Amino acid sequence: MRSFAPFAFLILIVTGFDRKSPVPEICLTKEEKKLYDLIMEYRKSKGLEAIPLSPKLSLVAQTHARDLADNYDFNPRNKCNPHSWSEKGKWTSCCYTNDHKKASCMWTKPQEIAGYAGNGFEIAYYSSLGASAQEGIDGWKISPGHNPLLINSGTWSKTKWQAIGVGIYKEYGLVWFGELTDDGSVTICQ
């Protein structure tokens, strides 16, 4: 009687050790794509290169926008700011405080949620009337804490963004920046 076990084991070895994270299929809404385009236009006006869209960082941005809209209490007395993550998802919860002492709990979310190889850095905004691309970019341009990420100034002047992800949901608009490239593509949702 002939055994096929060694052949089956060899297939398991060859296919079982591919550690590369699968690239998720991600689409942007028209408003999310508009936000991306507005950011790239702004960067171009400053003589900066475009940043490639990242499916993994977009997944994180979209996931976080939904988590904030569904689970975050936007209240100035809340000790956890909007970079925080709730306990109601398939991720580690995170209370991001304004003193930035727990910043790494946010920076590692792209690794935890999407298998992105590096850290991610987020800018976020809230609008009680609902988030829009134009309102987001307009607010970030005049914000001393957000504009530097958009145009690589200040603390971010030596950083080269290789990936960007966008998410807008209800009252929240989020953009994630990463220093490592990301394979895959992002489409426009139908």
Side-chain angles (χ1 to χ4, degrees):
M1 184 171 204
R2 194 169 193 193
S3 170
F4 291 98
F7 180 68
F9 180 68
L10 179 59
I11 291 173
L12 179 62
I13 288 174
V14 172
T15 62
F17 288 102
D18 181 12
R19 300 270 183 215
K20 187 175 179 182
S21 297
V23 177
E25 292 185 26
I26 297 295
C27 67
L28 298 183
T29 65
K30 289 181 181 175
E31 197 67 14
E32 290 167 335
K33 176 66 165 77
K34 181 179 177 181
L35 178 56
Y36 171 77
D37 290 342
L38 289 169
I39 293 169
M40 294 311 112
E41 287 171 20
Y42 181 48
R43 287 179 59 81
K44 185 177 181 181
S45 76
K46 301 291 185 182
L48 299 168
E49 297 175 348
I51 307 167
L53 265 170
S54 161
K56 291 178 181 177
L57 293 180
S58 292
L59 172 64
V60 176
Q62 292 169 358
T63 301
H64 196 203
R66 281 180 166 34
D67 182 45
L68 289 168
D70 295 343
N71 302 308
Y72 182 75
D73 178 22
F74 195 85
N75 179 331
R77 294 177 298 227
N78 191 343
K79 70 176 185 163
C80 303
N81 72 31
H83 296 302
S84 301
W85 290 73
S86 77
E87 297 174 343
K88 298 181 180 178
K90 295 181 179 181
W91 53 75
T92 306
S93 64
C94 169
C95 176
Y96 192 112
T97 55
N98 289 335
D99 61 10
H100 307 288
K101 286 187 178 178
K102 296 181 181 180
S104 66
C105 75
M106 183 264 291
W107 296 338
T108 58
K109 285 298 180 252
Q111 296 167 35
E112 180 182 354
I113 291 170
Y116 181 73
N119 287 339
F121 305 93
E122 176 186 67
I123 59 174
Y125 98 98
Y126 170 85
S127 173
S128 62
L129 300 176
S132 74
Q134 191 65 56
E135 186 179 30
I137 188 74
D138 290 347
W140 289 327
K141 282 180 178 181
I142 61 172
S143 168
H146 297 96
N147 191 53
L149 279 93
L150 292 170
I151 60 169
N152 296 98
S153 65
T155 303
W156 306 101
S157 63
K158 294 185 177 162
T159 304
K160 181 169 171 60
W161 299 130
Q162 297 290 332
I164 189 171
V166 180
I168 296 176
Y169 184 72
K170 295 183 178 178
E171 300 92 1
Y172 291 92
L174 296 103
V175 177
W176 282 76
F177 297 87
E179 296 177 79
L180 301 177
T181 58
D182 183 13
D183 296 331
S185 62
V186 179
T187 61
I188 304 302
C189 303
Q190 297 299 325

